[in-house]
Structure formats: C-alpha cells, structure tokens
Amino acid sequence: MRLVVAFALVAVLTAATTGALTFREARTGVLQQSQDTVIKLLRTQIDRLAPELPVPPGEFELQRFAADVAGVEPAGTWRVLVAYGGLSATSAPDDPFEELTPALRAAVDSSTATVFQRVDSGDHTSLVVGMSVVFTAGTAATGPASGVQVFLTVPQTTEQAYVDALVTAVQRATVPALGLAVLLALLAARGVLRPVRALRRATRSIAEGRLDTRLDVNGSDELADLSHTFNETAAALEESVAELRGMEARARRFAADVSHELRTPLAAMSAVTDVLDEDAAHLDPDTATAVRLISEETVKLARLVDDLMEISRFDAGAAVLHLDEIDLAESLRRTLAARAWTDLVDVRLPPPDALRGRVDPRRLDVVVANLVGNALRHGARPVHLRLYEGGERVAVVEVLDSGPGIPDSVLPHVFERFYKSDAARTRTEGSGLGLAITAENVRMHGGTVRAANRPEGGAVFTVELPLRRDESTLGSGQ
C-alpha cells in the first residue's frame, strides 16, 4: 500500500508539474502569438492609412481614421481610440474606452515605441495596444511623432478558449497518468512483495517447527541473495537442531538406562541396610554410625533414582494420567497423614465432599508432598496448607511457610531441574528434582503452579487445577 501511494503521489506531482509547465508555456505562446499578430496588423493598417490623415486633424478626420483602422478586423472585435492633443475619437460612437489605463497612456506619451498591456475586464481579458503615428522616411517609421496617438483594445476571448482547453486537457491527462502509475505500482509491488511474502511464509513455517522449509532462489538481485541466505540459515538451523535433539535423546536415554540399571542393586542395598539398621544397636559406636550413614545415603540414592525415572518418563512422553473423581480435601489429609506431617502443618480445608474434582490421586499426592516437604525443609514453621475453590471452577492449593522467603534471583528458577540457589552448596537433602516433578504433574492436569514471597514474610506456592476437564484434552506427557 505504501508503494502504491508513493507511486500515486509521484504521478500526481509529476502530472501536476508537467501540466503546469506545459500550461504556462502554451499560454505564453498563445498570448504572444496573438499579441504579435494584432500589433503587426495594427502597424500595417496605420502605415497604410496615416499618409491620408491631415495634420493637424480635426475631430471628423480622427473618427474616420479610427473607423478605418478598426475595420481591418473582419469580425468587428477591434475598438480603436485616436487622440490628437485635446481631441479624441473612437471607432464606436460614445465608447468610453475604459480599458485604457493611465500607465499605458503615459507610456505612449513618453515613447514612440509600441506598448501593450493586458487588462482584466471582468468576464474576459483584453489586450490594449498603444502607439504614436510618426512621420516616415522611406519605409521606416523613424521620423518625429506627428502627435497622433492610436489605442486599440481587442478582447482575448479566443485565446481564453484556447487556455481553457489546455487546462481541460491537462486535467484529463492527469487521471490516466494516475491510473497508469497505480498499475505500475501494483506490478512493481507484486514483483517486490512476492518474494517477501514467500519469505514471511517460510519464516512462519520455520517458527512452527518445519525446519526443512526452503525458498526458491530466482534471479541475482538483493531479494535472491536474501533468499539464498535464508536457505543457508535454515539448513544450518536444521542441522544444529537435529544435533541438539540427538544429544537430548541420548541424554534422556542415558538417564533412563542408568536409573533402570541402578534400581536392582539399590533394592539389594536397601534390604541389606534394613538388616544392618536392626542390628546397629548391638554394634560398636563407630560401626553403628557408619551403618546408619550408609542407610541414609542409600535411601537418598533410591529417592534420586525414582525421581530420575519419573523425569525420564515425562521427557519420553510415557507419563499418563489415571483420573478419578475424588474429594480433594480428603486426599490432602491422607498425604499429610502418610508422612506423619499432620501435627507439623496447619491445614485449612473445606468440609468433606465440598470440593471434588477429576484428578490423578497419585500425582496430586506427589504435588502436595513435594511442596509441603520443601516448605518444612527450607522454610520455617508454622507451615500452612490451604485448599479452596477459585474462580471458573478451579481448585487452588496453597502451601505457605514462615521462613526468610525465596531470593528474587532464585524465584524464576525454582522449578528448574537440579537448580541450586547457592552455587557453593554441593549436597542437599532432596534430589533437586522435586519441584520440577511437581510442575510437570500440574502441567499434565492442565493447571499452573507458581512461587512467590508473602509481604509478611515467607514463601507461598500456589497450584491451580481445573475441577472439570474433558479427558480427551488431558496431556499424556510432552
């Protein structure tokens, strides 16, 4: 559109400028030709009639001379005024000869040259010519002035008609010029915008994941060079993404394989540590301490392997939801009771069966356990667990603690895998995957989870789960 408008403006400006210049030159030419013709004819007529004019002339001779001069124009449009001293006569009786200006009369009085002036007479323009009759020597009017002055006025209606026709022609030529400019603009825009639109479609295709998209390269101009560069960039991007996907797939497979291979020896180690824990009271203090340490680390390692297995299922798209309509408040109470947290957490839950929803009970248990466990480990008591119904049939679970809160630099990363707020801390009580697993489980339910700090101190984790959701739209992994 900008290109079309620009072409149209250029066309209008060019047509207007060309028309104005043409009009000016044509008007000047028409008027100049008319003026030269009138002056030449007037001089010829005066040269022919002047020898017959007595000097000094009387009023009758002046009137006859004026009529004879005016009679040379067959259309009868000439009006002549002849003056000598205080006498004057016109070709038409009682003609006031209003077109004669004092300036033109003064110019004739002061010079023997022919002078002229265009005068606006209201509805038309008139050419007024003035000259002095001189005594001639041979054929050249070089003698002294006789004192007789002749003034002629000619209406320029014909010339005005020519000028009006020029204006009409210019106006009529502007419309085709504008149409031609718009047509050329459309053709130019099509040639320019076609590869640009193709580039836009290709870019959108790349953004949608179709990295094999390529452009046809035609010609050798800047747009062709841009298309060639785009194809090179797309090829490099496709190669890099393929390599990254391969690396990611290998990393996922490695984590899954390692986790799977560790489960069998860890199961055996757990059985052994359980037996050693039972006999730890009968061992010497150093051996008992070592046994308890091995038992604790074995439990942590088993938990880490379980979390890695869960993460690998999310990454592989193998995680599925097993939905059941349950009482959400009762599910949260069971989560706390199963981990002996009932006395450690202040709960605010709705009455039984007041808030029900279709969720995966096991995954809801993992979400609540991870959030409450995180608050007990990293926050401070009292820890609060709240459940209520939000707007648009949404269940809201909030876990609040009374600790120092989460640093602002850490908040954007709390749900990332293995993220540590303290770079110098190399060991933690958890696996570093709990909040990441929580976020994945909430996402599978079509909900959201976010972390923030309370104005009065402490952190708050908020989970929003839809109470009703079509099973066909629920996620089954990534």
Side-chain angles (χ1 to χ4, degrees):
M1 181 57 65
R2 289 195 296 269
L3 189 60
V4 171
V5 171
F7 267 75
L9 290 177
V10 170
V12 170
L13 181 62
T14 303
T17 303
T18 305
L21 294 176
T22 303
F23 169 75
R24 188 183 67 178
E25 295 298 325
R27 179 177 180 273
T28 301
V30 169
L31 296 178
Q32 184 69 41
Q33 182 181 4
S34 172
Q35 165 192 312
D36 293 344
T37 301
V38 169
I39 292 176
K40 181 178 180 181
L41 185 59
L42 177 62
R43 285 176 177 171
T44 301
Q45 185 72 349
I46 291 177
D47 288 344
R48 184 176 66 85
L49 298 174
E52 300 176 2
L53 181 66
V55 180
E59 184 175 354
F60 174 75
E61 287 79 7
L62 293 178
Q63 186 174 5
R64 186 180 62 183
F65 184 78
D68 292 342
V69 172
V72 73
E73 211 285 311
T77 58
W78 280 21
R79 292 163 44 228
V80 179
L81 169 67
V82 181
Y84 180 81
L87 299 177
S88 64
T90 59
S91 58
D94 302 324
D95 188 351
F97 221 89
E98 296 176 349
E99 293 86 355
L100 181 59
T101 63
L104 182 65
R105 185 181 288 274
V108 173
D109 290 339
S110 61
S111 174
T112 60
T114 302
V115 296
F116 63 90
Q117 184 180 27
R118 293 187 182 90
V119 179
D120 188 2
S121 301
D123 57 343
H124 65 276
T125 301
S126 298
L127 174 66
V128 182
V129 181
M131 66 172 58
S132 295
V133 178
V134 299
F135 294 104
T136 61
T139 58
T142 57
S146 63
V148 178
Q149 297 176 338
V150 179
F151 300 94
L152 167 67
T153 176
V154 182
Q156 295 188 303
T157 53
T158 303
E159 291 77 5
Q160 184 64 41
Y162 289 155
V163 172
D164 293 341
L166 286 175
V167 173
T168 302
V170 170
Q171 291 175 346
R172 291 178 178 177
T174 302
V175 175
L178 180 60
L180 179 61
V182 171
L183 179 60
L184 293 176
L186 291 175
L187 294 177
R190 183 180 180 185
V192 173
L193 295 180
R194 182 186 300 169
V196 174
R197 288 169 178 165
L199 178 61
R200 180 180 62 185
R201 290 192 297 268
T203 304
R204 288 179 177 175
S205 180
I206 290 287
E208 292 171 357
R210 295 188 289 273
L211 301 181
D212 58 343
T213 303
R214 298 294 184 272
L215 290 173
D216 295 332
V217 180
N218 300 315
S220 59
D221 55 6
E222 289 81 357
L223 292 174
D225 184 61
L226 177 61
S227 300
H228 182 69
T229 303
F230 175 85
N231 290 340
E232 291 181 344
T233 304
L237 179 61
E238 183 180 16
E239 182 180 355
S240 299
V241 170
E243 183 178 356
L244 290 175
R245 287 175 177 172
M247 294 173 59
E248 183 181 8
R250 289 191 295 270
R252 291 175 179 174
R253 186 166 58 252
F254 174 78
D257 293 344
V258 169
S259 301
H260 180 74
E261 293 298 328
L262 286 177
R263 297 192 75 175
T264 300
L266 278 175
M269 291 174 61
S270 297
V272 172
T273 54
D274 289 342
V275 174
L276 292 177
D277 285 340
E278 294 178 357
D279 296 335
H282 304 292
L283 301 176
D284 61 88
D286 292 338
T287 303
T289 300
V291 167
R292 293 189 181 94
L293 178 61
I294 292 175
S295 179
E296 293 175 359
E297 295 300 323
T298 302
V299 172
K300 292 180 182 178
L301 184 57
R303 186 183 300 118
L304 174 60
V305 170
D306 289 339
D307 289 345
L308 286 174
M309 291 292 293
E310 186 72 4
I311 285 292
S312 65
R313 282 192 288 269
F314 285 127
D315 291 342
V320 295
L321 289 176
H322 299 283
L323 298 176
D324 190 13
E325 185 172 342
I326 62 173
D327 181 358
L328 300 182
E330 181 61 26
S331 176
L332 268 58
R333 291 190 184 94
R334 290 177 181 177
T335 298
L336 298 180
R339 293 162 178 80
W341 289 342
T342 304
D343 297 332
L344 301 179
V345 179
D346 177 28
V347 298
R348 187 183 303 173
L349 306 177
D353 289 329
L355 192 58
R356 301 181 64 87
R358 287 181 57 81
V359 297
D360 187 327
R362 185 185 70 83
R363 296 190 183 278
L364 179 60
D365 175 79
V366 171
V367 169
V368 176
N370 284 343
L371 294 180
V372 173
N374 182 77
L376 291 173
R377 283 194 304 270
H378 302 294
R381 298 178 61 185
V383 174
H384 304 275
L385 175 63
R386 300 175 181 172
L387 173 65
Y388 57 92
E389 182 177 353
E392 299 182 357
R393 296 288 294 165
V394 173
V396 180
V397 179
E398 287 184 345
V399 177
L400 308 91
D401 65 60
S402 303
I406 305 173
D408 293 337
S409 60
V410 176
L411 272 176
H413 309 286
V414 292
F415 296 106
E416 295 180 6
R417 302 174 184 181
F418 299 110
Y419 180 78
K420 296 179 180 181
S421 60
D422 184 2
R425 178 169 55 84
T426 58
R427 290 180 57 83
T428 61
E429 296 182 9
S431 63
L433 297 173
L435 292 180
I437 292 175
T438 296
E440 291 290 346
N441 282 319
V442 172
R443 183 192 61 80
M444 289 185 63
H445 282 85
T448 60
V449 58
R450 58 183 181 273
N453 290 315
R454 296 192 296 164
E456 61 271 22
V460 55
F461 287 81
T462 304
V463 176
E464 294 183 355
L465 297 175
L467 289 177
R468 292 181 181 178
R469 187 174 174 83
D470 187 358
E471 293 185 32
S472 62
T473 63
L474 290 174
S476 59
Q478 289 190 345

PDB file of all heavy atoms in Angstrom, residues 199-213 230 234 237 241 245:
ATOM      1  N   LEU A 199       9.059 -15.235   1.810  1.00  0.00           N
ATOM      2  CA  LEU A 199       9.970 -15.269   2.949  1.00  0.00           C
ATOM      3  C   LEU A 199       9.205 -15.261   4.263  1.00  0.00           C
ATOM      4  O   LEU A 199       9.565 -15.964   5.219  1.00  0.00           O
ATOM      5  CB  LEU A 199      10.927 -14.072   2.871  1.00  0.00           C
ATOM      6  CG  LEU A 199      11.931 -13.922   4.018  1.00  0.00           C
ATOM      7  CD1 LEU A 199      12.851 -15.132   4.079  1.00  0.00           C
ATOM      8  CD2 LEU A 199      12.745 -12.649   3.853  1.00  0.00           C
ATOM      9  N   ARG A 200       8.120 -14.479   4.326  1.00  0.00           N
ATOM     10  CA  ARG A 200       7.317 -14.451   5.545  1.00  0.00           C
ATOM     11  C   ARG A 200       6.690 -15.814   5.816  1.00  0.00           C
ATOM     12  O   ARG A 200       6.703 -16.302   6.950  1.00  0.00           O
ATOM     13  CB  ARG A 200       6.233 -13.376   5.417  1.00  0.00           C
ATOM     14  CG  ARG A 200       5.332 -13.259   6.645  1.00  0.00           C
ATOM     15  CD  ARG A 200       4.281 -12.184   6.458  1.00  0.00           C
ATOM     16  NE  ARG A 200       3.395 -12.502   5.334  1.00  0.00           N
ATOM     17  CZ  ARG A 200       2.447 -11.683   4.900  1.00  0.00           C
ATOM     18  NH1 ARG A 200       2.283 -10.508   5.461  1.00  0.00           N
ATOM     19  NH2 ARG A 200       1.685 -12.033   3.880  1.00  0.00           N
ATOM     20  N   ARG A 201       6.129 -16.437   4.770  1.00  0.00           N
ATOM     21  CA  ARG A 201       5.543 -17.768   4.962  1.00  0.00           C
ATOM     22  C   ARG A 201       6.594 -18.783   5.380  1.00  0.00           C
ATOM     23  O   ARG A 201       6.343 -19.626   6.254  1.00  0.00           O
ATOM     24  CB  ARG A 201       4.858 -18.210   3.664  1.00  0.00           C
ATOM     25  CG  ARG A 201       3.592 -17.435   3.329  1.00  0.00           C
ATOM     26  CD  ARG A 201       2.823 -18.117   2.206  1.00  0.00           C
ATOM     27  NE  ARG A 201       3.607 -18.147   0.971  1.00  0.00           N
ATOM     28  CZ  ARG A 201       3.548 -17.211   0.028  1.00  0.00           C
ATOM     29  NH1 ARG A 201       2.750 -16.164   0.183  1.00  0.00           N
ATOM     30  NH2 ARG A 201       4.262 -17.306  -1.069  1.00  0.00           N
ATOM     31  N   ALA A 202       7.765 -18.689   4.777  1.00  0.00           N
ATOM     32  CA  ALA A 202       8.829 -19.622   5.149  1.00  0.00           C
ATOM     33  C   ALA A 202       9.282 -19.409   6.590  1.00  0.00           C
ATOM     34  O   ALA A 202       9.552 -20.360   7.316  1.00  0.00           O
ATOM     35  CB  ALA A 202      10.012 -19.464   4.188  1.00  0.00           C
ATOM     36  N   THR A 203       9.346 -18.148   7.002  1.00  0.00           N
ATOM     37  CA  THR A 203       9.742 -17.857   8.384  1.00  0.00           C
ATOM     38  C   THR A 203       8.724 -18.410   9.368  1.00  0.00           C
ATOM     39  O   THR A 203       9.084 -18.994  10.407  1.00  0.00           O
ATOM     40  CB  THR A 203       9.892 -16.340   8.569  1.00  0.00           C
ATOM     41  OG1 THR A 203      10.824 -15.833   7.615  1.00  0.00           O
ATOM     42  CG2 THR A 203      10.398 -16.027   9.966  1.00  0.00           C
ATOM     43  N   ARG A 204       7.439 -18.236   9.054  1.00  0.00           N
ATOM     44  CA  ARG A 204       6.409 -18.803   9.921  1.00  0.00           C
ATOM     45  C   ARG A 204       6.501 -20.321   9.960  1.00  0.00           C
ATOM     46  O   ARG A 204       6.305 -20.941  11.006  1.00  0.00           O
ATOM     47  CB  ARG A 204       5.031 -18.370   9.426  1.00  0.00           C
ATOM     48  CG  ARG A 204       4.722 -16.892   9.671  1.00  0.00           C
ATOM     49  CD  ARG A 204       3.345 -16.539   9.132  1.00  0.00           C
ATOM     50  NE  ARG A 204       3.003 -15.134   9.411  1.00  0.00           N
ATOM     51  CZ  ARG A 204       1.912 -14.538   8.975  1.00  0.00           C
ATOM     52  NH1 ARG A 204       1.044 -15.222   8.222  1.00  0.00           N
ATOM     53  NH2 ARG A 204       1.675 -13.268   9.267  1.00  0.00           N
ATOM     54  N   SER A 205       6.781 -20.914   8.807  1.00  0.00           N
ATOM     55  CA  SER A 205       6.921 -22.371   8.763  1.00  0.00           C
ATOM     56  C   SER A 205       8.084 -22.838   9.636  1.00  0.00           C
ATOM     57  O   SER A 205       7.972 -23.832  10.357  1.00  0.00           O
ATOM     58  CB  SER A 205       7.119 -22.823   7.311  1.00  0.00           C
ATOM     59  OG  SER A 205       7.253 -24.216   7.244  1.00  0.00           O
ATOM     60  N   ILE A 206       9.190 -22.097   9.577  1.00  0.00           N
ATOM     61  CA  ILE A 206      10.341 -22.430  10.438  1.00  0.00           C
ATOM     62  C   ILE A 206       9.947 -22.287  11.903  1.00  0.00           C
ATOM     63  O   ILE A 206      10.273 -23.141  12.749  1.00  0.00           O
ATOM     64  CB  ILE A 206      11.531 -21.510  10.114  1.00  0.00           C
ATOM     65  CG1 ILE A 206      12.105 -21.854   8.742  1.00  0.00           C
ATOM     66  CG2 ILE A 206      12.615 -21.624  11.178  1.00  0.00           C
ATOM     67  CD1 ILE A 206      12.877 -23.121   8.659  1.00  0.00           C
ATOM     68  N   ALA A 207       9.210 -21.205  12.229  1.00  0.00           N
ATOM     69  CA  ALA A 207       8.802 -20.986  13.621  1.00  0.00           C
ATOM     70  C   ALA A 207       7.869 -22.086  14.110  1.00  0.00           C
ATOM     71  O   ALA A 207       7.836 -22.393  15.307  1.00  0.00           O
ATOM     72  CB  ALA A 207       8.117 -19.622  13.755  1.00  0.00           C
ATOM     73  N   GLU A 208       7.100 -22.701  13.195  1.00  0.00           N
ATOM     74  CA  GLU A 208       6.194 -23.780  13.575  1.00  0.00           C
ATOM     75  C   GLU A 208       6.891 -25.132  13.655  1.00  0.00           C
ATOM     76  O   GLU A 208       6.231 -26.141  13.937  1.00  0.00           O
ATOM     77  CB  GLU A 208       5.040 -23.852  12.574  1.00  0.00           C
ATOM     78  CG  GLU A 208       4.111 -22.629  12.649  1.00  0.00           C
ATOM     79  CD  GLU A 208       3.115 -22.610  11.507  1.00  0.00           C
ATOM     80  OE1 GLU A 208       3.190 -23.528  10.633  1.00  0.00           O
ATOM     81  OE2 GLU A 208       2.262 -21.694  11.476  1.00  0.00           O
ATOM     82  N   GLY A 209       8.205 -25.153  13.406  1.00  0.00           N
ATOM     83  CA  GLY A 209       8.958 -26.387  13.574  1.00  0.00           C
ATOM     84  C   GLY A 209       9.307 -27.120  12.298  1.00  0.00           C
ATOM     85  O   GLY A 209      10.012 -28.134  12.350  1.00  0.00           O
ATOM     86  N   ARG A 210       8.847 -26.621  11.141  1.00  0.00           N
ATOM     87  CA  ARG A 210       9.184 -27.282   9.877  1.00  0.00           C
ATOM     88  C   ARG A 210      10.519 -26.734   9.373  1.00  0.00           C
ATOM     89  O   ARG A 210      10.588 -25.828   8.536  1.00  0.00           O
ATOM     90  CB  ARG A 210       8.066 -27.062   8.860  1.00  0.00           C
ATOM     91  CG  ARG A 210       6.754 -27.722   9.252  1.00  0.00           C
ATOM     92  CD  ARG A 210       5.726 -27.639   8.127  1.00  0.00           C
ATOM     93  NE  ARG A 210       5.230 -26.287   7.944  1.00  0.00           N
ATOM     94  CZ  ARG A 210       4.204 -25.765   8.610  1.00  0.00           C
ATOM     95  NH1 ARG A 210       3.568 -26.492   9.514  1.00  0.00           N
ATOM     96  NH2 ARG A 210       3.806 -24.525   8.384  1.00  0.00           N
ATOM     97  N   LEU A 211      11.584 -27.312   9.908  1.00  0.00           N
ATOM     98  CA  LEU A 211      12.924 -26.788   9.639  1.00  0.00           C
ATOM     99  C   LEU A 211      13.433 -27.148   8.253  1.00  0.00           C
ATOM    100  O   LEU A 211      14.501 -26.653   7.852  1.00  0.00           O
ATOM    101  CB  LEU A 211      13.905 -27.324  10.694  1.00  0.00           C
ATOM    102  CG  LEU A 211      13.563 -26.975  12.147  1.00  0.00           C
ATOM    103  CD1 LEU A 211      14.619 -27.535  13.079  1.00  0.00           C
ATOM    104  CD2 LEU A 211      13.450 -25.470  12.336  1.00  0.00           C
ATOM    105  N   ASP A 212      12.723 -27.987   7.511  1.00  0.00           N
ATOM    106  CA  ASP A 212      13.145 -28.323   6.159  1.00  0.00           C
ATOM    107  C   ASP A 212      12.601 -27.343   5.119  1.00  0.00           C
ATOM    108  O   ASP A 212      12.740 -27.560   3.914  1.00  0.00           O
ATOM    109  CB  ASP A 212      12.702 -29.739   5.806  1.00  0.00           C
ATOM    110  CG  ASP A 212      11.189 -29.916   5.917  1.00  0.00           C
ATOM    111  OD1 ASP A 212      10.544 -29.066   6.568  1.00  0.00           O
ATOM    112  OD2 ASP A 212      10.662 -30.910   5.387  1.00  0.00           O
ATOM    113  N   THR A 213      11.989 -26.267   5.562  1.00  0.00           N
ATOM    114  CA  THR A 213      11.433 -25.259   4.650  1.00  0.00           C
ATOM    115  C   THR A 213      12.560 -24.534   3.919  1.00  0.00           C
ATOM    116  O   THR A 213      13.539 -24.108   4.538  1.00  0.00           O
ATOM    117  CB  THR A 213      10.579 -24.249   5.424  1.00  0.00           C
ATOM    118  OG1 THR A 213       9.544 -24.942   6.125  1.00  0.00           O
ATOM    119  CG2 THR A 213       9.968 -23.230   4.488  1.00  0.00           C
ATOM    120  N   PHE A 230      18.693 -16.999   3.529  1.00  0.00           N
ATOM    121  CA  PHE A 230      17.690 -17.670   4.368  1.00  0.00           C
ATOM    122  C   PHE A 230      17.831 -19.185   4.275  1.00  0.00           C
ATOM    123  O   PHE A 230      17.759 -19.890   5.289  1.00  0.00           O
ATOM    124  CB  PHE A 230      16.290 -17.243   3.931  1.00  0.00           C
ATOM    125  CG  PHE A 230      15.179 -17.972   4.643  1.00  0.00           C
ATOM    126  CD1 PHE A 230      14.716 -17.530   5.870  1.00  0.00           C
ATOM    127  CD2 PHE A 230      14.603 -19.109   4.089  1.00  0.00           C
ATOM    128  CE1 PHE A 230      13.705 -18.206   6.533  1.00  0.00           C
ATOM    129  CE2 PHE A 230      13.599 -19.792   4.743  1.00  0.00           C
ATOM    130  CZ  PHE A 230      13.143 -19.342   5.962  1.00  0.00           C
ATOM    131  N   ALA A 234      18.522 -21.595   7.353  1.00  0.00           N
ATOM    132  CA  ALA A 234      17.588 -22.669   7.698  1.00  0.00           C
ATOM    133  C   ALA A 234      18.292 -24.022   7.709  1.00  0.00           C
ATOM    134  O   ALA A 234      18.034 -24.863   8.589  1.00  0.00           O
ATOM    135  CB  ALA A 234      16.426 -22.685   6.710  1.00  0.00           C
ATOM    136  N   LEU A 237      20.366 -24.155  10.824  1.00  0.00           N
ATOM    137  CA  LEU A 237      19.498 -24.323  11.983  1.00  0.00           C
ATOM    138  C   LEU A 237      18.967 -25.745  12.070  1.00  0.00           C
ATOM    139  O   LEU A 237      18.926 -26.345  13.152  1.00  0.00           O
ATOM    140  CB  LEU A 237      18.334 -23.334  11.893  1.00  0.00           C
ATOM    141  CG  LEU A 237      17.299 -23.390  13.019  1.00  0.00           C
ATOM    142  CD1 LEU A 237      17.947 -23.077  14.355  1.00  0.00           C
ATOM    143  CD2 LEU A 237      16.150 -22.434  12.748  1.00  0.00           C
ATOM    144  N   VAL A 241      19.635 -28.099  15.215  1.00  0.00           N
ATOM    145  CA  VAL A 241      18.523 -28.636  15.998  1.00  0.00           C
ATOM    146  C   VAL A 241      18.537 -30.154  15.984  1.00  0.00           C
ATOM    147  O   VAL A 241      18.266 -30.807  17.005  1.00  0.00           O
ATOM    148  CB  VAL A 241      17.190 -28.079  15.458  1.00  0.00           C
ATOM    149  CG1 VAL A 241      16.012 -28.800  16.094  1.00  0.00           C
ATOM    150  CG2 VAL A 241      17.097 -26.590  15.731  1.00  0.00           C
ATOM    151  N   ARG A 245      18.733 -32.315  19.254  1.00  0.00           N
ATOM    152  CA  ARG A 245      17.721 -33.312  19.575  1.00  0.00           C
ATOM    153  C   ARG A 245      18.348 -34.683  19.788  1.00  0.00           C
ATOM    154  O   ARG A 245      17.931 -35.444  20.662  1.00  0.00           O
ATOM    155  CB  ARG A 245      16.679 -33.365  18.459  1.00  0.00           C
ATOM    156  CG  ARG A 245      15.746 -32.163  18.443  1.00  0.00           C
ATOM    157  CD  ARG A 245      14.809 -32.204  17.250  1.00  0.00           C
ATOM    158  NE  ARG A 245      13.855 -31.084  17.285  1.00  0.00           N
ATOM    159  CZ  ARG A 245      13.027 -30.789  16.293  1.00  0.00           C
ATOM    160  NH1 ARG A 245      13.033 -31.517  15.171  1.00  0.00           N
ATOM    161  NH2 ARG A 245      12.195 -29.752  16.412  1.00  0.00           N
TER     162      ARG A 245
END
